[in-house]
Amino acid sequence: MSYYEPLVYIVPPEEDGWTLKTVLRNKMHISRKLLSRLKLTEKGITVNGARRYVNVPVHAGDRIEVRMLQEQSEHIVPQPIPLCILHEDDHLLIVNKEAGAIVHPTHGHYINTIANAVVHYWRQKGENYRFRPVHRLDQETSGVLAIAKNPFAHQYISEQMQACRVLKEYVALVHGTVAQDEGTIDAPIGRDPLKPHLRIVTETGRTAVTHFVVEQRYKEATIVRLRPETGRTHQIRVHMKHLGHPLVGDKLYGPALPDTEAAGLIERHALHAARLAFTHPGSKRWVEFAAELPEDMRRLAASLNPV
């Protein structure tokens, strides 16, 4: 069996006598699900090089190591597709996703996805990882995408997302002139009963909160910077439509701008994941990753008339 590099923790004096399970859960942040998997692995959890039951006490100076089995995405076809890599380390791969790229193979889209490109990239380096995106970006949305290299990294960032401790910042170009300089849209989102593939603001929906700041106003449109506090499907698109300013080019939730689309300036909804920040699963430090505004959105903004 092959393992990833172990997660290592040295027990400090103040934790002398704690159970191994308590240290794993509270200090090493191993989830219950991952802990169950590790207990079935021969070298999954060791103390000073030896396997231990998780209910035994540990002592100051003990070296705890957690090893995860190497995995690979066996059903994803490797393809030599260019990637824009923003960062890579033992836990994460951060890429700048192009608009139009699908993140993960789905029914009818088994190739030409970010997953195919990433698996090929790893294979070329002689590395085996399972493709684990820690969040989703719509096909037409460009920008920062984080991919976990092991189950712990995926779990660690997912828990931060569930607790709303991950900063996600987007830039969008929306129809009309947004009057407020900044604001918060607090409006629950649920499925449209008439069109289940769409989402709408509805009292029966799930809590959804989006903060926004106006960056630039034009006569026809506005550039806004948005920070979704929650992570509902199509949240920014639905909230901006609810505000009366749907995204430019959004074929599902708003009209297109005929002049700009006819000129071929943009062929998708104008939404870009500009920044992503969270506590790193390895260093436990706050890290931030950013991607510049893509050419099609810059070109579109340049074609508009300032207020």
Side-chain angles (χ1 to χ4, degrees), residues 44-60:
I45 303 168
T46 62
V47 179
N48 301 325
R51 292 186 71 183
R52 291 286 187 271
Y53 290 110
V54 296
N55 60 346
V56 301
V58 293
H59 302 287

Side-chain angles (χ1 to χ4, degrees), residues 10-240:
I10 307 299
V11 179
E14 60 270 22
E15 293 164 20
D16 188 281
W18 288 22
T19 65
L20 176 56
K21 182 178 180 179
T22 300
V23 175
L24 290 167
R25 293 282 292 120
N26 295 352
K27 294 299 179 177
M28 299 185 73
H29 306 286
I30 304 297
S31 69
R32 288 186 178 88
K33 182 178 179 181
L34 181 54
L35 183 57
S36 297
R37 291 171 56 186
L38 290 167
K39 287 192 290 187
L40 300 175
T41 306
E42 183 181 356
K43 297 181 181 179
I45 303 168
T46 62
V47 179
N48 301 325
R51 292 186 71 183
R52 291 286 187 271
Y53 290 110
V54 296
N55 60 346
V56 301
V58 293
H59 302 287
D62 280 351
R63 180 184 177 92
I64 300 172
E65 294 188 356
V66 171
R67 292 179 176 84
M68 292 165 284
L69 285 171
Q70 286 191 3
E71 305 169 292
Q72 59 183 356
S73 299
E74 297 179 353
H75 303 296
I76 296 177
V77 180
Q79 286 182 278
I81 301 170
L83 282 170
C84 178
I85 297 174
L86 301 173
H87 171 83
E88 185 175 15
D89 57 42
D90 291 340
H91 291 277
L92 299 168
L93 176 68
I94 311 294
V95 301
N96 183 4
K97 173 189 169 302
E98 289 187 358
I102 296 173
V103 173
H104 201 286
T106 59
H107 180 68
H109 296 279
Y110 301 109
I111 59 173
N112 300 323
T113 70
I114 296 293
N116 300 110
V118 169
V119 169
H120 177 269
Y121 167 72
W122 283 334
R123 296 278 178 89
Q124 290 296 106
K125 295 174 64 181
E127 298 174 350
N128 290 317
Y129 299 106
R130 181 179 170 184
F131 182 75
R132 282 187 174 88
V134 297
H135 60 119
R136 296 177 297 175
L137 291 180
D138 292 338
Q139 180 178 355
E140 292 188 1
T141 303
S142 56
V144 183
L145 176 70
I147 300 155
K149 286 186 168 184
N150 57 60
F152 171 72
H154 187 272
Q155 161 239 306
Y156 192 80
I157 301 172
S158 295
E159 288 180 351
Q160 292 179 67
M161 287 190 169
Q162 292 169 10
C164 299
R165 295 198 305 269
V166 172
L167 185 151
K168 294 178 287 184
E169 190 171 88
Y170 294 78
V171 174
L173 205 148
V174 302
H175 285 279
T177 302
V178 178
Q180 293 176 262
D181 289 339
E182 59 184 66
T184 296
I185 307 167
D186 187 348
I189 292 176
R191 288 185 181 273
D192 185 333
L194 302 179
K195 300 177 181 179
H197 65 291
L198 298 181
R199 302 295 191 271
I200 58 172
V201 168
T202 170
E203 292 182 357
T204 60
R206 299 175 67 187
T207 300
V209 178
T210 305
H211 308 284
F212 70 90
V213 175
V214 168
E215 288 210 333
Q216 178 69 53
R217 291 185 177 91
Y218 301 92
K219 292 180 179 178
E220 316 95 322
T222 307
I223 293 179
V224 290
R225 190 168 289 269
L226 306 112
R227 290 187 180 180
E229 190 173 303
T230 49
R232 309 300 174 217
T233 300
H234 299 171
Q235 178 171 316
I236 288 175
R237 300 163 68 185
V238 173
H239 270 176
M240 293 312 296

Side-chain angles (χ1 to χ4, degrees), residues 257-270:
L257 277 179
D259 291 343
T260 59
E261 293 224 333
L265 296 177
I266 195 163
E267 299 178 354
R268 49 110 176 187
H269 59 241

